[in-house]
Amino acid sequence: MAGARVETFMARMRMLSHRARTALRKSAVDYFRGDASDWLAFAGLLLTVPAIACGTLLMPVWFSPSALVLPIVAGGLLLRPASLLGLYAAAAAALIVEALVLGPYTQGPARVTPGTVLVVAACGFFGLVIAQFRSRVGVPWRRGGTMLFDLRERIRVQSKLPALPPGWHREMALRPAGGQSFSGDFVVAARTHGGRTLEVVLTDVSGKGMEAGSRALLLSGAFGGLLGALPPQDFLPAANGYLLRQDWDEGFATSIHLVLDLETGDYELLSAGHLPALQLSAGTGRWQEVAGEGPLLGVYDGAEFEPARGNLRRGDVLMLFTDGLVETADREISEGIDRLTGEADRYVAAGWDGAAWHLIEKVAKDVNDDRALLLIRRSP
C-alpha cells in the first residue's frame, strides 16, 4: 500500500510539473505572438535588477553599475509602458543601494558616478519613448517582424502567375529598390472565361521600395478583386476611379493590362501611361513595340484607354516590364530598351528558363529602383 501511495504521489507530481511546463510554454508563445500579458518578461527582467546589483556590490570589477542599462534596454523592447515604469523604479532603487554601499564616487573606481546615472536615465527615457510609440501603433515589437513578413508574403502570393496550358511558358521576376523586401511594382493575374483567357496586370506605383510598398499592397488587393470580375475594357477605368478615391498625395500609377486568348494567341493590350510591351517575332527574329494608349491612373476621372491588338504565334515572346528596368538618370528609355532586347536575344536559341531573373541581373542589377519583368512565350 505504501508503494502504491508513493507511485500515486509521483504520478501527480509529474502531472503537475507537465501542466506547469505547458502553461509556461503557452504563456511564452502567446506573449511573443502579442496575444498575452507581459508579466513573464517583466518578472524575468525584474529579477535581473537585484542580480546585477549584487554582482556590482560583490565583484565591482566585473559588474559595473552601468550594467543596469541591460534590463532597461531589454524592457524598452519587451514591456508595455506601465510595466516599464515598474522596472525603472527597481533600477533606480538598485542604483541608490549601490551608491550607499560602495560609497562616494570620489573615493575610488567602480562607484556610482553622475555619468552612470545619466546613462541609465537616458536609456530609460529612450526605452519609454519606444514603448509609448508601440503602444500607440498597437503592434508589439515581437509581432512587427511577423506582420511585415506576412505583408511581403501576401504581395508575393498575389503576384504569382497561374499555371498555363501546355504550349505556353511564363516567367516573372521582381526586384525591389535597394535590396528591400517591399516594392512599388506588382503583378496580379487570373485565368478567366473558363480558363481560356489569361489576364495579367503589371503596375508601377509612384515611389519606390518601402515608401511605395504599402500602397502597392492596397492596390494589389483591390486590383486582384477587380480582375476577372469586370470585362477587360472596364478594368482600367475602374482601377482609375479606385485610385482617385484614395486621395493620396502621390496617388498616381502606371499599369498595363494584358488579355491573352490561350487557344488562338490573340491578345489585347491596354495601357495606363505604361511603357510599351515588346513582342519577339519568331519568324523575323525582331522585337516590336506594342503600345496601348491611355493616361496615368489616378490623374483625372473619365479617362479612356485604347487597346492595342496582336497575336502570339508559335515561338513568339511577349515581354512586359517597368521603367526601372530600362530607365536611369544617365540613360534614356530607348537606349535601355535596346539593351534589354539585345540581352534577351541570347535566350532565343538557349531557351527561356530563368530568363526573367537573369535579364534583370544583366540589365539593371545595380539600379536603385523597383524592377519587374514578365515573359510569356508560346512554344514552337
Side-chain angles (χ1 to χ4, degrees), residues 48-49 51-53 55-56 60 62-74 91 95 98 116 119-120 123:
T48 63
V49 172
I52 292 174
T56 302
W62 291 96
F63 290 87
S64 168
S66 59
L68 286 171
V69 301
L70 298 177
I72 286 178
V73 171
L95 278 177
E98 290 174 356
T116 301
V119 169
V120 174
C123 291

Side-chain angles (χ1 to χ4, degrees), residues 265-316:
D266 293 332
Y267 67 83
E268 199 171 69
L269 206 61
L270 299 102
S271 176
H274 202 84
L275 295 175
L278 296 174
Q279 180 177 349
L280 173 65
S281 174
T284 63
R286 295 180 179 179
W287 291 92
Q288 178 184 1
E289 293 187 2
V290 184
E293 295 183 4
L296 299 171
L297 296 178
V299 175
Y300 62 88
D301 198 8
E304 296 182 357
F305 305 92
E306 295 295 330
R309 294 178 175 85
N311 179 268
L312 284 180
R313 295 172 291 276
R314 298 285 182 180
D316 285 5

Side-chain angles (χ1 to χ4, degrees), residues 209-246:
M210 290 288 290
E211 65 184 17
S214 59
R215 296 197 298 272
L217 177 64
L218 178 63
L219 291 182
S220 64
F223 287 9
L226 293 173
L227 193 67
L230 297 173
Q233 64 271 16
D234 293 337
F235 174 83
L236 287 181
N240 181 58
Y242 177 82
L243 204 57
L244 286 171
R245 290 192 296 274
Q246 305 312 304

